Amino acid sequence: MAARAGVSIATVSFTFSQPHRVKSATATAVLEAAAELGYVPSGNARGLARGRTGAIGIFSFDYMVDGSGDPDPDSVAADAASTSANTFPLYVDEVQYGAETESRRLGYALMLGGARTLPGEHAVTDIVGRVDGLITFSGIVPLEMMRGFAGRLPIVELSGEVRLEGVHTVTVENEAGMRAMTEHLIDQHGAKRICYVGTSTTAEFAARYEGYSGAMRDAGLAPQPPLESRPAREHTTIAAISGQLTLGMPDAFLFASDQEAIVALRLFEQLGVSVPRDVKVASFDGILAGLLVSPTLTTVQQPMHAIGRAAVGVIVDALAGRPDIRHVRLPLALRIRQSCGCGGTD
């Protein structure tokens, strides 16, 4: 390639690794020679030379898997499944999109891995061995494994609280956001009996329940124990709501995630329950699907793209030598729409 372009081997190397050091006309000649020869720079070779892979890993749960097993990707069943609510871009997908765009902007590749694609420990270990830094969602990687990884590469844990010294975090104001939504239902709609639907098994979901409970107590109302439900486990959401309806209709249902709220809206339609006339509905996350259901979903908006971008930024700063462990906390916003009775579209 150097001979074809009429330059030195060092100039070819600089054109691909440090293009700012090469004159524009020279770089053009090198790139034209590369195109003629079908040359593509080897990421592996460049990684060996730099002692880096040039990749950042993101390891997540998969909310689009319902636990019943994946269909054959070439089957009609797989095509049919692609139209279900659980295959719509969700929280995890939006965070990954933010991480991917920021990685690309900063010159890194992004490697994706999921806790259900392989047995969890093997899958994350496989990723760690191939990347310069790791982003993981809260609670997926066991603490002992995380402790071992943190000695080898920078790690950012998303959505939860600080679990381990030496691990960066990027999270949101889960408790404050759910408190604000509960206060909206109480102050603006006079709701007194608000049922909370969701799990509290992870730090972020526990914080959301605390936000609801605190707002209820401050208003002189009794918080209800959470009705156990999990995102992407539709049967748990349906069972939680159905069980409550046998005891009576509350003033409002407050859901820990938009996915659960969307399942509920579909169930209410089937049962002939009018939202928001018969019951108010609000939730948390701000996924795009909340704008496409009827009524549109009142929710606490997470800055999902910003979460992904911030996590990549923390990793890249650490790789550049920034020594401090960072704990980034991003703000939230209420999106007041139709399901609570306000009639807004955003």
Side-chain angles (χ1 to χ4, degrees), residues 1-6 27-39:
M1 185 162 47
R4 177 72 66 94
T28 298
V30 171
L31 294 174
E32 288 177 350
E36 292 169 3
L37 296 171
Y39 170 77

Side-chain angles (χ1 to χ4, degrees), residues 168-189:
H168 307 271
T169 61
V170 175
T171 188
V172 297
E173 298 285 357
N174 284 290
E175 183 173 348
M178 194 61 93
R179 172 182 281 271
M181 182 58 78
T182 307
E183 290 171 346
H184 174 79
L185 293 172
I186 295 169
D187 297 340
Q188 300 301 315
H189 299 286

Side-chain angles (χ1 to χ4, degrees), residues 175-188 191 194 196 208-217 219 221 254 282 300 334:
E175 183 173 348
M178 194 61 93
R179 172 182 281 271
M181 182 58 78
T182 307
E183 290 171 346
H184 174 79
L185 293 172
I186 295 169
D187 297 340
Q188 300 301 315
I194 303 173
Y196 183 92
R208 292 174 199 177
Y209 179 70
E210 284 304 311
Y212 153 80
S213 299
M216 293 288 283
R217 286 191 295 267
L221 302 172
L254 182 56
V300 181
L334 298 189

